[in-house]
Amino acid sequence: RYYKAPELLTNNKYYNYAMDVWSFGCMLAGVVLKLEPLFKGVDNNDQLCKIAKVLGTDDLFKYLKKYDLKMDPELDTCLGRMAKKPWNKFVTLSNQHLSSNALAIDLIDRCLRYDMEQRITVQEALRHEYFQDVVGVDTIL
């Protein structure tokens, strides 16, 4: 559940490989921010609330409206209105050697978007500057 994409948590019937990008973003954020897992909900509704505490509710509501999705009424009490939390708010003394990498934070940010159409694609992710020092990336694309 910790790596489930919003598509699955909101019963969106239309989804694709962008779910894997979401999961990768969660894992990368867990490593870079030393928060494993980044979103630790006890059930699907709580999971969505944990995500909203980081990504905010404005984009969540836009996503729900775009795909004509209805939220579980139980979510109203946990969600309310929340602002997106800047990634630099997660920097601590124990993770600053990793989280100070602006390219890693940019890649995480591009992976963790409610709307699957706004997420970075796998090919774009592999070409992201974060991986510039990885030998042979261009040969697999």
Side-chain angles (χ1 to χ4, degrees):
R1 157 178 327 110
Y2 304 142
Y3 308 107
K4 270 189 180 178
E7 304 80 288
L8 298 175
L9 300 172
T10 58
N11 296 316
N12 189 338
K13 304 292 186 234
Y14 305 100
Y15 51 84
N16 56 31
Y17 292 108
M19 288 189 308
D20 298 328
V21 172
W22 174 272
S23 299
F24 166 73
C26 289
M27 289 185 275
L28 182 61
V31 170
V32 170
L33 302 173
K34 290 194 170 190
L35 296 170
E36 188 58 35
L38 177 62
F39 308 116
K40 191 174 184 177
V42 295
D43 58 34
N44 284 348
N45 284 347
D46 188 47
Q47 186 70 14
L48 193 56
C49 288
K50 300 288 192 232
I51 293 168
K53 286 181 180 179
V54 174
L55 300 183
T57 53
D58 287 348
D59 288 339
L60 172 60
F61 294 137
K62 288 177 192 172
Y63 162 75
L64 294 170
K65 184 176 181 176
K66 177 179 177 179
Y67 294 98
D68 195 29
L69 300 170
K70 306 292 181 229
M71 272 194 323
D72 184 327
E74 290 180 24
L75 283 169
D76 287 338
T77 54
C78 122
L79 282 177
R81 287 272 186 210
M82 292 181 247
K84 183 174 182 175
K85 196 171 183 180
W87 292 110
N88 64 5
K89 295 286 185 188
F90 293 96
V91 176
T92 65
L93 287 175
S94 68
N95 71 17
Q96 68 184 11
H97 65 289
L98 298 169
S99 61
S100 62
N101 182 332
L103 294 174
I105 298 300
D106 180 67
L107 182 56
I108 291 166
D109 186 60
R110 290 175 185 220
C111 290
L112 298 181
R113 305 278 172 96
Y114 288 111
D115 189 341
M116 62 193 139
E117 292 180 2
Q118 293 179 4
R119 280 182 219 140
I120 193 169
T121 67
V122 173
Q123 287 204 338
E124 290 167 340
L126 287 171
R127 288 190 177 103
H128 191 275
E129 290 179 81
Y130 179 72
F131 294 116
Q132 69 188 3
D133 294 332
V134 177
V135 178
V137 166
D138 287 333
T139 61
I140 62 172
L141 301 176

